Amino acid sequence: MHVHGIRRRSISCDVALFFALLATAIALGAALAHALELPNKIGLSVSEYFTVQQTYRGWNQLAYVLFLQLIAIMSVIILARHAPYVRGFAILALLCLIAAQALFWIYTYPANVATVNWTSIPPNWETLRRQWEYSHLAGAAFQLLAMSALIIAALARERDRQAESTHHVTINYAKTSSDQ
């Protein structure tokens, strides 16, 4: 029974880790799109920049992916409570997601509001453009770190499994020895 409980917990953690990796990969793709286009967009004229910004209509749907990313990473943290390597790197991934979101809400979103989603040109639009572009660049870096942490967590699963099986063998041996 105990072995089955470990196996069930391990499979559940693997499924959560799969969804955490998948959601993070999708979020990272969008974040890298912003980062990679920055050199070509940062010098555009006001009319060109505001025209290009309209291609982001509907990107708010990415919030669903970010929510799945959050839930999946938190699930890994909970399910990996007996797997310190996996859990530690999942916590790091969560902290990176939180940092990326903090940047969005502190810098990116206010620029969207000030420009009415880039349909109204305020006098400080160039400052807002830099704020928007560079906050997305920093957010992409945090999403890349989150993805890296989750990959390391996935690779660390075997180390945690070996440590856990060694622990159970030691306990079982101790019980057997004391029973004699």
Side-chain angles (χ1 to χ4, degrees):
M1 174 65 181
H2 188 64
V3 172
H4 295 294
I6 292 169
R7 190 172 296 129
R8 203 172 306 119
R9 183 175 64 225
S10 178
I11 291 169
S12 297
C13 187
D14 289 350
V15 170
L17 188 54
F18 169 81
F19 282 109
L21 283 162
L22 181 62
T24 302
I26 294 168
L28 177 59
L32 287 176
H34 284 303
L36 294 172
E37 68 192 8
L38 185 149
N40 295 315
K41 284 178 54 189
I42 201 70
L44 293 176
S45 69
V46 63
S47 64
E48 292 172 323
Y49 190 79
F50 274 74
T51 298
V52 169
Q53 285 297 91
Q54 295 313 302
T55 62
Y56 297 115
R57 286 187 186 155
W59 276 49
N60 61 344
Q61 300 302 308
L62 190 59
Y64 296 113
V65 173
L66 296 171
F67 182 70
L68 175 60
Q69 182 186 17
L70 174 67
I71 296 302
I73 292 172
M74 289 174 50
S75 296
V76 170
I77 292 167
I78 292 165
L79 293 168
R81 64 188 169 275
H82 300 293
Y85 293 108
V86 173
R87 189 169 199 249
F89 284 106
I91 289 169
L92 177 59
L94 178 63
L95 293 174
C96 290
L97 171 59
I98 291 168
Q101 282 301 293
L103 286 167
F104 176 83
W105 292 105
I106 293 168
Y107 297 104
T108 311
Y109 182 74
N112 289 341
V113 170
T115 60
V116 191
N117 287 320
W118 301 95
T119 60
S120 176
I121 305 169
N124 65 338
W125 79 270
E126 287 178 317
T127 300
L128 293 169
R129 168 173 62 182
R130 282 190 301 279
Q131 180 177 320
W132 193 91
E133 293 290 343
Y134 290 113
S135 64
H136 271 300
L137 180 62
F142 279 116
Q143 282 288 2
L144 181 60
L145 288 172
M147 185 66 174
S148 299
L150 289 172
I151 290 170
I152 294 169
L155 295 173
R157 290 177 310 158
E158 188 58 32
R159 176 177 279 185
D160 281 330
R161 284 183 184 136
Q162 287 174 353
E164 188 170 21
S165 67
T166 302
H167 176 72
H168 288 294
V169 168
T170 304
I171 289 172
N172 288 337
Y173 176 73
K175 284 181 181 177
T176 304
S177 297
S178 66
D179 291 341
Q180 294 176 359

